[in-house]
Structures are given as structure tokens and as C-alpha cells.
């Protein structure tokens, strides 16, 4: 999951690359505005700037509050409660998969138990994960 770094992450509409493109189109004498692709792109980036100025500080404040609450729970709750609430999975096997966009990808599953029941099967049987709050793409901490 992506998270803001510091108070503000650089946004594409604030970069020199965008400023140069926006200014370059107007300086070529196209009359500015109109139905060109550059005019539509400019309108999109103007809307992004407006959205950012209106909501970014509130969203960042909410994200920080959620992170503080989670850190407090991890620090103060016993393991049984973390398991019951879906924040802790224990006794997992981890398998590394090929990297995705330069980031490591790990697959977690419960430890396999050997099949039994008199059939002589030795193939591993994987149980479903218990209740948890994790989704594909979440950033997690692995502890041994």
C-alpha cells in the first residue's frame, strides 16, 4: 500500500515537467483553451490542484490517526486479542514469488499438515486462513 512520505509527497501537477508543458502550449500561440488535448489535460490538472488544496490535509490527518491507533493496538493488546481482531496470523509458511515492479512478493499460507485417514496420502493439505483484515497488496510486518 502506498503511503505519504513526510508531510507532502510530490505531485505530478506540481513538477517542473508539468509547468513546462502547460506553459509551452500557451506560448506557441494556440490561443489557449479550446478543445485541444493540452486544454483538456490542463483542466484535469487544475481539478487535481483544487482537490489537493481542499482535501489533502484532511486525508493526511485521517491516515496519521489510523496509523497511531494501529501502533497503539500492536503495542498494548495481547497476541490472543490481535488474533481475534484479525491483526495477527501465526504459524505461517512464507514463499517468495518473483518480484513485482522491483518489490518483493511473498505468499503466506498456514503450515501444511500431512494427509491421513488411512488412504496413505502424503500430499500436503492446506487449510484456509483464519479471519483476518489483510488484503492483496497490503504492506505487512513479518516476524519469526
Amino acid at each position: 500500500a502506498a503511503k505519504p512520505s513526510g508531510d507532502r509527497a510530490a505531485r505530478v501537477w506540481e513538477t517542473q515537467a508539468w509547468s513546462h508543458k502547460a506553459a509551452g502550449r500557451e506560448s506557441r500561440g494556440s490561443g489557449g483553451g479550446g478543445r485541444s488535448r493540452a486544454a483538456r489535460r490542463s483542466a484535469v490538472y487544475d481539478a487535481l490542484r483544487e482537490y489537493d488544496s481542499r482535501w489533502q490535509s484532511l486525508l493526511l490527518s485521517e491516515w496519521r490517526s489510523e496509523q497511531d491507533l494501529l501502533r497503539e493496538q500492536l503495542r498494548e493488546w495481547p497476541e490472543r486479542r490481535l488474533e481475534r481482531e484479525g491483526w495477527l496470523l501465526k504459524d505461517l509458511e512464507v514463499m517468495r514469488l518473483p518480484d513485482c515492479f522491483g518489490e518483493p512478493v511473498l505468499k503466506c499460507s498456514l503450515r501444511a499438515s500431512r494427509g491421513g485417514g488411512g488412504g496413505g496420502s502424503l500430499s500436503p493439505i492446506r487449510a484456509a486462513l483464519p479471519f483476518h483484515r489483510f488484503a492483496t497488496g497490503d504492506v505487512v510486518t513479518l516476524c519469526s
Side-chain angles (χ1 to χ4, degrees), residues 61-78:
S61 176
E62 180 182 20
W63 180 81
R64 285 182 175 154
S65 176
E66 290 174 359
Q67 293 300 304
D68 290 343
L69 178 62
L70 182 57
R71 281 189 200 95
E72 180 182 334
Q73 291 169 345
L74 291 174
R75 215 177 22 251
E76 297 181 11
W77 286 4

Side-chain angles (χ1 to χ4, degrees), residues 30 38 40 52 65 96 105 119:
S30 65
R40 289 190 304 267
D52 179 65
S65 176
R96 181 152 186 179
V105 177

Side-chain angles (χ1 to χ4, degrees), residues 2-64:
K3 68 177 183 176
S5 59
D7 282 349
R8 266 179 82 151
R11 290 164 190 85
V12 70
W13 59 89
E14 295 174 335
T15 63
Q16 288 297 325
W18 170 247
S19 298
H20 179 286
K21 288 180 181 180
R25 180 73 178 165
E26 293 167 5
S27 66
R28 284 197 295 259
S30 65
R35 295 169 42 155
S36 70
R37 186 177 352 176
R40 289 190 304 267
R41 188 180 306 133
S42 179
V44 167
Y45 283 104
D46 288 344
L48 286 171
R49 279 188 209 96
E50 182 180 340
Y51 178 88
D52 179 65
S53 66
R54 182 173 295 168
W55 299 109
Q56 184 63 27
S57 62
L58 182 61
L59 291 170
L60 187 57
S61 176
E62 180 182 20
W63 180 81
R64 285 182 175 154

Side-chain angles (χ1 to χ4, degrees), residues 8 24 48 57 70 75 87-88 99-100 103 124 126 132 135:
R8 266 179 82 151
L48 286 171
S57 62
L70 182 57
R75 215 177 22 251
W87 294 117
L88 174 67
D99 288 359
C100 180
E103 296 291 326
R126 302 238 181 243
H132 60 84

